[in-house]
């Protein structure tokens, strides 16, 4: 009888221990395009967010020593149903407190409208750049750590005009990202005196774009601006343009900046290609992140990696500031930890931030990709850098300041 009682007590204690362990986790989900047209761009973005999680856990954890974990789900980038299902799993099955992501704009909008907003879950995208995100009716739940394409498109246009390009043909992937970027580019390029001889949408995921390329080439332009994705239509368009002997110069934006694009199309073919992407200013936080990323084994200059670190670290800071893993009040806390006034917190300074928050002090995170003073729409100002393909790789040429 005594043995049974001891066994029962041991089982009960064990059950309590496992229940406590289950409750000792705080979850921030990650929605990424692990398959689809940005699958080669996603891994370092994910690694950036994971690095932030590692910094939190290595410095004592969150909310009194709990472990921060990051379940992930694949949006495929281009399938709204997949994005909605992935977000639903994060919100209603994983019961995350917040979400880093999604990456592609259409995925972010679908995830927000169908799961995050109804569930009261804050999302911070490190990569959704389309202007359409600005106009979401989101109850102050959707933020991003990258500038809108209304800014990047303008910078790309002015950069090309400054380099002497005055006549271009444009093709863009027919989604929120492509349309928003093309609209901004064309408006700015023409306002600056340039000629857009053709501005043509194309659908992603097709095997043949020769018909569209024929129309673009017939315009007479020698320069083709491709606003699409490195692992999707952008790659196929560039390859078939070269195979057909069309155009002598290519340009693009952030969705095209990846080593997989150069490897697939050919270094000789793309030599001299111009592109833009959101970047990081020369600030102390940038250097700290660069060093930490290199030690973690990934490229700190990978597109959106720094922005992803900032998204995850900001959400962790906001949860700590909010005092619980509850969703309510998190957007207000996010605005608080990301804005002046307050003691400056740099990437990796988790322990310092926790001590200040516990003491009732205000903090102001200055991140890997710059400061994040969110406006009323959850948008941030930003830095755009020039990229050029040289010797088989995209090389950064510094911040564009025109």
């Amino acid at each position: 009888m005594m043995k049974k009682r001891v066994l029962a007590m041991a089982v009960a204690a064990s059950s309590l221990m496992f229940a406590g362990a289950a409750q000792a986790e705080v979850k921030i989900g990650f929605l990424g395009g692990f398959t689809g047209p940005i699958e080669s761009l996603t891994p370092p973005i994910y690694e950036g967010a994971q690095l932030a999680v590692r910094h939190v856990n290595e410095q004592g954890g969150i909310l009194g020593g709990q472990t921060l974990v990051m379940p992930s789900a694949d949006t495929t980038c281009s399938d709204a149903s997949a994005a909605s299902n992935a977000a639903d799993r994060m919100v209603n099955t994983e019961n995350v407190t917040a979400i880093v992501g999604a990456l592609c704009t259409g995925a972010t909008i679908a995830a927000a409208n169908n799961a995050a907003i109804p569930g009261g879950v804050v999302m911070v995208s490190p990569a959704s750049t389309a202007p359409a995100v600005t106009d979401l009716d989101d109850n102050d739940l959707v933020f991003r750590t990258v500038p809108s394409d209304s800014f990047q498109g303008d910078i790309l246009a002015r950069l090309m005009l400054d380099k002497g390009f005055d006549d271009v043909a444009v093709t863009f992937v027919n989604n929120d990202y492509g349309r928003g970027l093309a609209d901004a580019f064309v408006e700015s390029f023409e306002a600056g005196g340039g000629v857009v001889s053709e501005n043509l949408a194309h659908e992603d995921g097709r095997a043949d774009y020769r018909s569209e390329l024929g129309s673009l080439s017939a315009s007479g332009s020698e320069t083709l601006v491709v606003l699409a994705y490195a692992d999707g239509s952008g790659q196929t368009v560039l390859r078939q343009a070269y195979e057909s002997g069309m155009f002598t110069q290519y340009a693009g934006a952030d969705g095209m900046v990846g080593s997989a694009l150069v490897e697939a199309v050919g270094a000789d073919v793309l030599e001299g290609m111009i592109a833009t992407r959101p970047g990081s200013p020369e600030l102390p936080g940038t250097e700290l992140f660069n060093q930490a990323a290199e030690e973690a084994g990934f490229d700190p200059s990978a597109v959106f990696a720094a922005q992803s670190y900032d998204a995850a670290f900001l959400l962790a800071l906001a949860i700590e500031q909010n005092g619980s893993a509850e969703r309510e009040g998190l957007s207000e806390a996010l605005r608080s930890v990301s804005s002046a006034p307050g003691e400056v917190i740099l990437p990796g300074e988790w322990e310092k931030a926790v001590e200040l928050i516990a003491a009732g002090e205000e903090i102001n995170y200055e991140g890997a990709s710059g400061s994040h003073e969110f406006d009323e729409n959850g948008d941030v100002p930003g830095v755009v850098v020039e990229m050029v393909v040289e010797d088989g790789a995209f090389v950064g040429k510094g911040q564009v300041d025109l």
Side-chain angles (χ1 to χ4, degrees), residues 156-174:
L156 176 60
R158 289 194 283 149
L159 174 65
M160 296 194 68
L161 288 167
D162 186 64
K163 288 180 172 293
F165 296 96
D166 57 8
D167 187 318
V168 301
V170 177
T171 185
F172 60 91
V173 63
N174 191 21

Side-chain angles (χ1 to χ4, degrees), residues 232-326:
S233 60
Q235 182 182 125
T236 307
V237 166
L238 287 178
R239 186 175 63 250
Q240 292 180 352
Y242 169 72
E243 291 170 351
S244 301
M246 302 173 181
F247 306 102
T248 59
Q249 175 70 42
Y250 304 110
D254 50 2
M256 300 289 283
V257 180
S259 58
L261 179 74
V262 181
E263 292 168 4
V265 179
D268 293 342
V269 176
L270 297 185
E271 184 73 13
M273 178 178 174
I274 300 165
T276 52
R277 47 158 284 190
S280 303
E282 297 292 331
L283 294 171
T286 306
E287 184 57 37
L288 286 173
F289 168 75
N290 290 348
Q291 181 179 345
E294 288 171 358
E295 291 173 356
F298 69 94
D299 180 7
S301 67
V303 64
F304 302 129
Q307 287 82 1
S308 186
Y309 178 94
D310 287 346
F313 205 75
L314 275 167
L315 284 171
L317 289 171
I319 291 169
E320 189 73 25
Q321 173 78 27
N322 205 32
S324 77
E326 297 298 319

